[in-house]
Amino acid sequence: MNDKLIVALDYATEQDAMALVNQLGDAVSYYKVGLELFLNTRGSVVDLIKAQNKNVFLDLKFHDIPNTVAQAVAWAASLGVDMFTLHSSGGEEMMRKSVETVNETCERLNVKRPNMVGVTILTSFDEAGIAKVGYKNNIADTVLNLAGLCKTSGMNGIVCSPHEAANIKAACGSDFITVCPGIRPAWAAAGDQKRITTPADAIRIGVDHMVVGRPITKAEHPYEAALKIMEEIGGVTK
């Protein structure tokens, strides 16, 4: 269960991020590095986290024409991260070319291949929100369609709301990875996430990795908060 929890390092500085990593110690083995932290540290935080034998989920959400993204993911794979994101709305050609490039890069460099997961609909969206940006179908159908594109392109899984995870597993197979933000323990505030669920319920419905930020990073005692979540998900029987 230890790799089920990914803690989002939503900080602006390397010092703040690594202070939390050190504080959480052996309670957490997996961390998300997003745009803000990656850019502010010029990527150095990835090496620091890996030096502590932790897993890194690089969440830069690559989205561009196929050749440009292929070059970017080759570089990402060379960093030794364990998982990273692409926007699935970039299309099948973009994702397929990226998968081929990562496979070639990892074989050439003799490094472990990272999991590649597609971002579907951000959990800050609700039905009214996606309608405003032009999606014709509802969230569930749109996510399912994008998940199918990821699967046929050779991607390992998707980022989705926990509410879509069970349908994704049914459509794409049990080994198709679901990475879910929008996880909030019952004792934490929802914040700006609209489609949320608890850690225990996430495990029950088949979520592979849950991304948790503020319930841990903003807690008065982050280590105790992380342990509380791990105890919650560890006690679940599917």
Side-chain angles (χ1 to χ4, degrees):
M1 287 289 180
N2 200 33
D3 69 347
K4 294 284 186 182
L5 173 63
I6 300 178
V7 173
L9 294 175
D10 294 329
Y11 295 106
T13 70
E14 179 182 288
Q15 291 76 17
D16 288 341
M18 294 311 299
L20 183 71
V21 173
N22 291 328
Q23 186 175 3
L24 294 180
D26 60 0
V28 175
S29 65
Y30 220 135
Y31 291 93
K32 179 178 82 74
V33 174
L35 278 169
E36 180 184 18
L37 182 59
F38 189 85
L39 292 174
N40 281 334
T41 64
R42 298 184 180 183
S44 64
V45 71
V46 171
D47 291 333
L48 293 175
I49 297 170
K50 293 300 293 183
Q52 295 202 19
N53 295 317
K54 306 293 186 181
N55 293 334
V56 173
F57 172 33
L58 184 64
D59 186 23
L60 301 185
K61 299 181 177 71
F62 299 115
H63 189 180
D64 212 308
I65 62 173
N67 285 337
T68 298
V69 173
Q71 293 177 55
V73 298
W75 161 83
S78 73
L79 294 177
V81 299
D82 301 275
M83 183 163 60
F84 66 83
T85 51
L86 297 83
H87 262 293
S88 56
S89 56
E92 188 172 358
E93 182 184 353
M94 185 199 80
M95 290 188 286
R96 189 181 299 278
K97 187 173 182 62
S98 295
V99 168
E100 292 171 354
T101 301
V102 166
N103 290 342
E104 293 167 359
T105 300
C106 292
E107 183 176 356
R108 174 170 52 83
L109 298 178
N110 194 29
V111 296
K112 180 183 175 182
R113 183 195 183 281
N115 285 323
M116 302 170 66
V117 293
V119 175
T120 55
I121 301 297
L122 300 175
T123 54
S124 55
F125 275 108
D126 56 15
E127 297 291 352
I130 67 164
K132 286 180 180 178
V133 297
Y135 283 98
K136 295 180 179 179
N137 295 326
N138 61 30
I139 289 175
D141 289 343
T142 302
V143 169
L144 198 59
N145 178 63
L146 291 171
L149 285 178
C150 290
K151 177 76 172 181
T152 58
S153 300
M155 300 273 284
N156 301 101
I158 64 166
V159 178
C160 64
S161 160
H163 294 284
E164 287 99 45
N167 286 340
I168 298 304
K169 290 286 189 180
C172 299
S174 61
D175 60 343
F176 194 68
I177 298 170
T178 52
V179 181
C180 300
I183 304 293
R184 289 288 185 272
W187 42 265
D192 61 358
Q193 302 281 13
K194 294 184 173 64
R195 289 155 34 237
I196 61 176
T197 194
T198 66
D201 286 340
I203 295 298
R204 291 188 186 100
I205 60 181
V207 169
D208 294 298
H209 299 288
M210 60 188 72
V211 181
V212 179
R214 283 165 287 187
I216 293 174
T217 62
K218 301 298 184 184
E220 185 177 358
H221 302 290
Y223 182 80
E224 286 78 5
L227 283 182
K228 193 173 180 180
I229 292 174
M230 291 303 302
E231 289 170 0
E232 179 179 340
I233 65 179
V236 172
T237 301
K238 292 185 181 181

